[in-house]
Amino acid sequence: MSTAVDERLQSALGGLAERAYVDAAGEPVAVVPPANLREAVKVLKASPDTYCDYLSFASAQDMIPRVPRFDGIYQLYSIKHHHWFRLRVPVSDGEALPSLADIHKGADWHERETYDLFGIPYDGHPDLRRILLTDNWHGHPLRKEYDHQFEPVWAPGTNVLQNVAEEGMAGHEAAGEDPAKTIVLNLGPQHPATHGVMRLAVELDGENIVGCVPHIGYLHTGIEKLSEHHNWTQNITHYARMDYLSPMNNELAYCLAVEKLLGVEVPKRAQYIRVLMSELTRIISHLVWLGTHAMDIGALTVFLYCFAEREKILEMYEAIGGQRMMTSYIRIGGVQDDMPESFPGMVEAWEKTFDSQLSIYHGLLTKNPIWRQRTMGIGVMDRDTSLSYGLSGPLARAVGIDWDLRRDNPYSSFEEFEFDIPVEQTGDVYARYLVRMEELRQSRRIVLQALKKIAETEPGTYVAEDYKLAPVPRDGINASIEELIHHFKYWTDGIWVPSGEAYGFIEASKGELGYFVVSDGTAHPQRVKIRGPSFSNLSAFPEMIKGHLIADVIATIGSIDIVLGEVDR
Amino acid sequence: MVRERLTKPDSPTAAELLSNPDDGSILLTSINKVIGWFQSNSIWPLTFGLACCAIEMMSLTASRFDLSRFGSEIFRASPRQADLMIVSGRLSWKMAPIARELYEQMPYPKWVIAMGACASCGGVFSTYAIVHGADHILPVDIYVPGCPPRPEALLDAIIKLQKKIKTGTYVAQGLKDGRR
Ligand code: SF4
C-alpha cells in the first residue's frame, strides 16, 4: 500500500518536491524547498488522489551541524483516504518559513510553538508571539545548544507577572463595534473550571463574548527537550505524566512509534493486553471528564459517582502495573509483565456493574432539562472549521466526521475487534457529551473481547523475545553469562534504535495522539515531537465560544476535555 | 508566677501580655493552643491544581477517601478564603510568580503542602521550565513524597499538619515582621 501512496505523493507534487522517500513505517516523506511549501500543501489538499484536508501538526527539527540548520516538519492526513504524508522543509537559521495559517487554521498555534521553541519565524503569520514560554524568556529550548537544565534568569526589574497583568487581549484589536463598551475579563490560570492552569482573556459586551484569547504554557514542562537526554525506555516515564488522565495511552503511542523504527514484532498477547489497558484508560479519562464537566455546570453528584467508578479501574491499574496512575506498564516490544491471574476476575466483576452505572449517569444528565439547556446549541462548530483546526477524537465525531484511527488505521490488532463508532451531527456541547457517553459503552465491549482473546494466547508471551529490547528474566541472569551480559547492557546502555524517523499514532481518549520520533542510531532520541490532541482542540476554542454568553465558557471548556499537561507539554 | 505579676502594682496588664507573644507567658500559650485547636479542624485548602497530582487530590475529596471526615473538604477557589495551599504538581517558571501572588493573597494564618516529587524537588523533570521544588518560592510546611502520592499519603500530610497547628506554635510571618 505504501508504494501506492508514495506514487500518489510523487504525482501530486510533481516538480514541487526536491526528493521523496519512505520512512521506517513505510510512510511517504517529501522534501520541499520553503518557496514551494504553500503550493505543495495546497496541491495536496486539493488533488483528489491525496486530499490531505487535515494538518496533524507542524513542527521542526534541529539538524545541526547540517546547513541549512533546521527542517520544518508538516504531518498531513487525509480523512477520506486515511493516509499520512510528511513534508520536510529545510530552512537555515534566521530564515523564515511561509505560514500556513490561512490554509489550515490549526497551523496558527503549531507555528507559534515552533517559533517559541526553535526560533524559526513565519512569514505572514497573523499573530507570531511566544506561546509556551513567557515573552521575556531568553533563548529557544529545543535548539541543540540550549542546556536542558538551564535555570531561567530575568534581568532585575523584569515584570514577571507581565503576562497576567498587562497582556490581556495580547494586542488583538477590540472585536466589538464600540471598544468603549467592552471590558476584558481575565479567567485563570488559577480557576476551578479551567481544568488545570489555563488562562483566557475574554472580551465582553455586557454578558456577550465578542473576543477571546487563550494563554497557555503555565504547565510547560520541557518534556520534548528532556526526551533527548534520557534513553528510549526512560522516556516512557515522562510521557505517562504528560496526559495524566490517560497515562497508558501516551505510553502506547510512543512505544508504537519506537517499534516502527526497530521493526519489532509484538506478540499477540501483548497486543491484546495493550488494547485492554488502552480501553480501560479511555474509560477512566472519560470518567474524569464527565465528573468534572458535570461539576462545572453544577451537577456535583455526577462527580462523586464517576470518581467512585474510576477507583475500581485504578485498582486494576495497581494490580497490573503496581501503581495507581503512573505505571509505565507498556514498554517497547510489549508490556512490562504478564497479566496477573486474578486480573480477568477483577475486570469481570467491574464490568457487570458498569452498564448500570452508565444508566445512572444517563438518568442524571441526558434528559435533565437544566443539562440540556446548558449544553444544547452551545459551542457549536461546523465540519469545515473543525477540520481546518485539526480537531480530532470525540470533538470531530460530534460534527459528523466519521473518523476513528482504531478502525481506519488500525494498530495493535484493533482490526480484530468489533465496536461501533458513535457520530453526531450537531457539533455542540451536548453532541460531544453523547459521543463520549457512547464511547464508554463501546470501550466496555472492546475490553470484554480483549479478555477473551488474551485467554486464547499463551501465557508468558507478553514481550518480544529479544534481549536487546526487553530485560532478561531474573532466572536467566543466574543461568548463563550471555544473558547476564544482555541484562547489563540493557540497564546501562539502554536500547539502541536504528536511525530513521517514524510516526506512532493512536486514537486516544481525546483524539489523535501522535509521537514523531527521530533516531540518529544511538540510545537517545534525536527529536521527539508530541502531537497532543488537546493542543489542537483548544486552539479552536475562540471560534467555538464566539457569540455566546460568559457562562457558556465553562460548559465549552469542559466539553473540549483538555488536559493542560498535554497542551503545554 | 502569673498571679504574682498580675497582683503587683507595676505588673503588666493582660492586654500588654497578649501584645508580647515572645514573653513565654502561660496565659498566652494556652490561648494559642485553643486557637490552634480550632484552626486545625477547619483547614480550607485552595483549589489549586497544577498537574497529575491534582487528580489524586481530587480523588481525596471524592467518595472513597472523603477528606471531609477530617474537616478539610471545603476547597475554596478564592485565595482570600483559603488557609492551605496544596502545591499539587509540577510548578513551571511561568506559573511561579502567579503561585506566589496567590500565596500572598491568602490571609494569615496559612500553610503550604508540597504534594509529590515535582513540588518537593522537581521530580523526574529536571528541565529548564520547572521550578525544582516549590520551596524556592513558598515556605513549605509538609512535603509528601510520591509520584503521584496516594490519596492516603496526602491525607496523612493533612493530619500531620493538623497536629502541627494544634501545638499552637504558629507565628505568622507577617506578624513577626510587624506587617499585618
Ligand atoms: S510528582 Fe509525579 S504525579 Fe505529581 S505532578 Fe509530578 S510528575 Fe505528576
Side-chain angles (χ1 to χ4, degrees):
Chain A
M1 189 199 100
S2 60
T3 37
V5 179
D6 195 23
E7 273 161 23
R8 282 192 210 171
L9 178 69
Q10 296 265 9
S11 66
L13 283 181
L16 290 173
E18 270 170 18
R19 65 193 171 87
Y21 61 97
V22 175
D23 77 359
E27 278 158 15
V29 188
V31 182
V32 179
N36 295 351
L37 173 65
R38 283 179 60 85
E39 196 50 40
V41 172
K42 274 186 197 158
V43 166
L44 286 175
K45 193 176 176 183
S47 143
D49 263 356
T50 49
Y51 207 72
C52 292
D53 44 359
Y54 174 88
L55 177 76
S56 171
F57 68 82
S59 185
Q61 184 190 347
D62 189 352
M63 314 281 283
I64 199 165
R66 193 197 74 175
V67 180
R69 178 170 175 179
F70 299 107
D71 254 1
I73 294 168
Y74 299 85
Q75 180 84 10
L76 297 160
Y77 183 75
S78 167
I79 302 277
K80 193 167 152 203
H81 299 304
H82 309 307
H83 54 212
W84 304 93
F85 283 134
R86 191 173 315 125
L87 300 179
R88 275 181 173 270
V89 187
V91 58
S92 43
D93 197 1
E95 203 186 320
L97 282 171
S99 168
L100 301 182
D102 54 336
I103 308 174
H104 292 282
K105 285 188 187 147
D108 179 339
W109 275 28
H110 286 280
E111 285 170 357
R112 275 178 67 191
E113 184 192 313
T114 316
Y115 165 72
D116 189 355
L117 301 180
F118 283 96
I120 301 175
Y122 285 86
D123 264 349
H125 190 285
D127 178 26
L128 198 60
R129 293 176 286 127
R130 283 193 185 258
I131 187 166
L132 295 178
L133 297 164
T134 54
D135 287 357
N136 43 34
W137 195 272
H138 185 73
H140 302 282
L142 282 181
R143 292 184 171 220
K144 286 285 175 194
E145 75 269 12
Y146 193 94
D147 178 11
H148 73 292
Q149 290 184 325
F150 170 78
E151 287 228 340
V153 278
W154 284 281
T158 310
N159 180 4
V160 285
L161 279 174
Q162 152 247 343
N163 278 339
V164 170
E166 289 156 17
E167 202 179 13
M169 298 300 284
H172 282 238
E173 296 273 303
E177 286 147 26
D178 181 1
K181 269 166 82 185
T182 62
I183 55 161
V184 174
L185 184 78
N186 178 64
L187 190 89
Q190 193 270 333
H191 187 282
T194 51
H195 293 229
V197 280
M198 180 183 59
R199 190 178 144 235
L200 296 171
V202 191
E203 194 188 348
L204 292 173
D205 177 1
E207 274 199 60
N208 297 309
I209 294 166
V210 288
C212 170
V213 181
H215 297 279
I216 60 169
Y218 293 98
L219 193 55
H220 179 57
T221 313
I223 291 182
E224 287 178 14
K225 181 75 176 178
L226 197 61
S227 306
E228 296 167 16
H229 294 267
H230 281 178
N231 75 29
W232 293 93
T233 313
Q234 284 172 321
N235 278 335
I236 298 174
T237 326
H238 327 142
Y239 301 145
R241 285 151 178 80
M242 191 187 72
D243 173 357
Y244 38 78
L245 297 182
S246 43
M248 288 212 200
N249 277 345
N250 302 279
E251 295 165 12
L252 177 58
Y254 168 72
C255 289
L256 287 175
V258 181
E259 282 154 10
K260 280 179 186 170
L261 281 178
L262 287 163
V264 53
E265 178 77 21
V266 179
K268 276 285 175 190
R269 186 179 177 87
Q271 294 197 12
Y272 297 145
I273 296 180
R274 285 173 169 195
V275 169
L276 171 73
M277 292 319 291
S278 77
E279 289 309 308
L280 286 176
T281 307
R282 189 183 316 277
I283 293 173
I284 54 172
S285 171
H286 279 6
L287 284 174
V288 174
W289 155 78
L290 180 63
T292 51
H293 184 33
M295 184 169 67
D296 290 346
I297 299 186
L300 183 67
T301 329
V302 184
F303 170 79
L304 297 173
Y305 274 116
C306 288
F307 266 68
E309 194 61 20
R310 181 174 176 269
E311 287 296 329
K312 296 182 195 159
I313 299 183
L314 288 189
E315 262 169 22
M316 296 178 210
Y317 255 56
E318 221 175 335
I320 205 165
Q323 231 244 40
R324 273 167 61 89
M325 278 166 80
M326 308 305 175
T327 51
S328 303
Y329 176 65
I330 295 175
R331 298 283 172 90
I332 296 164
V335 293
Q336 175 247 335
D337 203 346
D338 207 356
M339 202 170 76
E341 269 170 32
S342 61
F343 197 77
M346 290 177 87
V347 179
E348 277 156 13
W350 157 80
E351 162 279 307
K352 286 203 184 83
T353 57
F354 186 58
D355 251 359
S356 62
Q357 282 290 330
L358 272 180
S359 11
I360 293 179
Y361 311 148
H362 274 297
L364 283 167
L365 297 175
T366 309
K367 295 219 170 92
N368 181 331
I370 303 174
W371 180 258
R372 286 161 79 103
Q373 285 210 343
R374 289 294 308 269
T375 56
M376 280 179 152
I378 305 295
V380 186
M381 286 293 271
D382 62 60
R383 191 192 151 94
D384 290 340
T385 328
S386 103
L387 262 185
S388 171
Y389 272 103
L391 258 52
S392 53
L395 267 78
R397 290 191 280 277
V399 295
I401 301 173
D402 187 6
W403 171 47
D404 189 312
L405 287 167
R406 289 175 294 175
R407 179 197 61 198
D408 298 332
N409 300 66
Y411 51 87
S412 206
S413 296
F414 256 112
E415 65 277 8
E416 299 169 18
F417 289 82
E418 261 179 45
F419 55 96
D420 299 327
I421 291 158
V423 178
E424 293 285 330
Q425 304 297 335
T426 42
D428 55 3
V429 174
Y430 190 67
R432 291 169 204 146
Y433 159 79
L434 289 181
V435 167
R436 290 202 182 91
M437 289 301 276
E438 186 53 31
E439 280 184 12
L440 282 170
R441 203 183 292 277
Q442 296 300 328
S443 287
R444 175 178 160 272
R445 263 179 84 187
I446 303 176
V447 164
L448 289 182
Q449 294 172 43
L451 266 190
K452 250 196 221 122
K453 285 184 195 288
I454 293 171
E456 288 160 13
T457 57
E458 196 187 328
T461 53
Y462 58 87
V463 70
E465 285 236 358
D466 181 344
Y467 294 146
K468 287 200 167 56
L469 303 180
V472 184
R474 192 69 227 172
D475 334 334
I477 305 170
N478 301 337
S480 90
I481 181 75
E482 234 161 68
E483 308 208 333
L484 183 66
I485 294 173
H486 276 307
H487 168 82
F488 184 70
K489 287 288 263 184
Y490 180 86
W491 290 112
T492 52
D493 259 21
I495 301 171
W496 287 61
V497 175
S499 43
E501 58 185 82
Y503 185 60
F505 52 84
I506 66 163
E507 182 72 37
S509 47
K510 299 172 183 65
E512 179 218 341
L513 172 67
Y515 282 75
F516 173 64
V517 296
V518 184
S519 171
D520 50 5
T522 60
H524 305 259
Q526 206 271 353
R527 166 98 173 100
V528 178
K529 157 73 194 168
I530 305 162
R531 193 268 179 206
S534 301
F535 184 79
S536 292
N537 292 354
L538 181 61
S539 72
F541 181 74
E543 200 75 35
M544 289 180 201
I545 198 63
K546 223 176 258 166
H548 286 299
L549 299 179
I550 180 75
D552 300 332
V553 170
I554 306 300
T556 312
I557 296 177
S559 77
I560 307 179
D561 189 16
I562 46 170
V563 47
L564 267 296
E566 183 190 78
V567 175
D568 297 343
R569 276 153 290 139
Chain B
M1 186 196 131
V2 175
R3 183 189 288 160
E4 207 180 281
R5 283 170 66 185
L6 284 174
T7 46
K8 278 190 182 164
D10 57 343
S11 65
T13 60
E16 279 174 82
L17 275 175
L18 273 170
S19 66
N20 187 8
D22 290 333
D23 188 84
S25 132
I26 301 164
L27 177 71
L28 201 60
T29 315
S30 40
I31 283 182
N32 267 358
K33 273 199 173 154
V34 171
I35 292 174
W37 188 66
F38 291 155
Q39 284 169 341
S40 70
N41 287 306
S42 64
I43 311 174
W44 288 9
L46 176 68
T47 320
F48 183 59
L50 286 173
C52 348
C53 284
I55 306 297
E56 288 296 63
M57 183 171 81
M58 279 156 69
S59 310
L60 179 58
T61 61
S63 354
R64 179 172 294 188
F65 300 100
D66 196 10
L67 182 57
S68 51
R69 291 176 294 161
F70 301 91
S72 293
E73 82 283 16
I74 309 187
F75 275 75
R76 303 312 296 178
S78 163
R80 307 276 183 207
Q81 301 164 350
D83 8 59
L84 169 64
M85 181 182 228
I86 303 177
V87 186
S88 54
R90 41 192 191 260
L91 185 64
S92 71
W93 282 108
K94 190 168 178 177
M95 189 66 195
I98 297 155
R100 179 72 207 189
E101 182 97 346
L102 287 169
Y103 177 77
E104 303 271 357
Q105 286 175 355
M106 285 161 60
Y108 292 107
K110 52 187 168 185
W111 295 274
V112 178
I113 289 181
M115 179 185 181
C118 288
S120 305
C121 66
V124 286
F125 298 110
S126 57
T127 67
Y128 59 90
I130 294 294
V131 181
H132 297 173
D135 47 11
H136 284 244
I137 59 156
L138 299 167
V140 176
D141 293 274
I142 310 254
Y143 297 85
V144 192
C147 182
R150 296 182 63 93
E152 291 96 325
L154 183 59
L155 194 56
D156 183 46
I158 289 177
I159 293 170
K160 284 212 170 93
L161 183 65
Q162 286 178 343
K163 281 194 187 137
K164 184 176 169 176
I165 297 172
K166 274 191 189 128
T167 60
T169 50
Y170 176 87
V171 182
Q173 195 63 33
L175 297 184
K176 253 190 196 163
D177 308 345
R179 279 190 283 130
R180 289 276 157 171

